[in-house]
């Protein structure tokens, strides 16, 4: 018997095994890719929340510093080394810092809600790839590009809006 056919007869089972293992591997990778794509929005929301928390912490520290500065200026006022305008300016700075701290706390609450919404949308495994965050971003980008191309191909718009094709304009350069 020919050695080639003897080898095929001995190892015939390897073909279906390799094909089956490749299919399982492909399906697993495809599933992981869609899970990672859905998790993208959740990870971005968590990163935004982390940044807002850092900002809120820094604004709370600013409130403490301005409160101490107000106490220092008031002490100097009682000692006769500062005038009432300095005390008023310190109170104004404290009020501004407190408003910023409240705004930062509200931003943290908003980011928490965004994280909760992203987490709630995470287990919804849809078969529609257009509902994934990256696909939404790409479709938005394509819409902006389509609007730009309408401008670029219309001579009347080129004349009416000359800065749109000027690369020295920051918005145009950013596009």
């Amino acid at each position: 018997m020919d050695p080639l056919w003897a080898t095929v007869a001995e190892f015939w089972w390897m073909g279906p095994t390799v094909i089956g293992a490749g299919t399982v591997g492909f399906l697993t990778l495809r599933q992981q890719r869609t899970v990672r794509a859905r998790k993208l929005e959740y990870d971005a929301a968590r990163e935004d929340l982390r940044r807002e928390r850092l900002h809120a912490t820094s604004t709370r520290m600013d409130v403490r510093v301005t409160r101490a500065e107000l106490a220092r200026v008031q002490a100097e006022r009682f000692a006769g080394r500062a005038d009432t305008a300095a005390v008023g300016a310190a109170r104004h700075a404290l009020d501004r810092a407190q408003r910023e701290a409240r705004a930062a706390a509200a931003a943290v609450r908003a980011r928490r809600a965004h994280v909760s919404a992203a987490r709630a949308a995470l287990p919804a495994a849809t078969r529609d790839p257009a509902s994934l965050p990256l696909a939404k971003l790409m479709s938005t980008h394509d819409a902006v590009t389509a609007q730009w191309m309408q401008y670029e191909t219309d001579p009347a718009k080129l004349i009416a809006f000359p800065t749109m094709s000027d690369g020295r304009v920051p918005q145009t350069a950013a596009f």
Side-chain angles (χ1 to χ4, degrees), residues 99-160:
R99 281 193 306 270
E100 288 176 9
R102 284 192 296 270
V108 167
R109 286 192 299 273
R111 292 297 176 189
R112 280 187 191 143
H114 185 67
V115 168
S116 297
R119 187 183 314 127
L122 188 62
T126 61
R127 296 288 180 205
D128 183 23
S131 66
L132 297 175
L134 190 59
K136 290 178 185 176
L137 177 69
M138 290 175 68
S139 67
T140 304
H141 181 268
D142 290 343
V144 169
T145 303
Q147 287 178 340
W148 178 261
M149 289 308 295
Q150 286 177 353
Y151 164 77
E152 283 290 323
T153 56
D154 188 2
K157 287 183 182 177
L158 277 170
I159 293 169

Side-chain angles (χ1 to χ4, degrees), residues 151-173:
Y151 164 77
E152 283 290 323
T153 56
D154 188 2
K157 287 183 182 177
L158 277 170
I159 293 169
F161 305 104
T163 59
M164 291 286 288
S165 59
D166 188 5
R168 293 173 294 186
V169 177
Q171 293 86 357
T172 308

Side-chain angles (χ1 to χ4, degrees), residues 29-87:
L29 286 176
R30 193 172 96 188
Q31 175 66 21
Q32 287 176 352
R33 191 177 313 133
T34 57
V35 168
R36 263 185 279 141
R38 281 184 282 129
K39 197 173 177 241
L40 185 66
E41 185 175 8
Y42 176 64
D43 290 340
R46 284 182 30 209
E47 177 62 25
D48 289 344
L49 175 62
R50 185 190 65 79
R51 271 195 231 115
E52 286 297 332
R53 282 181 176 161
L54 287 174
H55 179 66
T57 302
S58 70
T59 57
R60 284 194 305 267
M61 285 191 268
D62 289 343
V63 168
R64 289 180 183 167
V65 168
T66 54
R67 200 173 278 143
E69 180 67 21
L70 175 62
R72 183 192 63 79
V73 170
Q74 286 175 338
E76 286 186 2
R77 170 72 178 113
F78 289 130
R81 291 186 296 230
D83 58 353
T84 55
V87 174

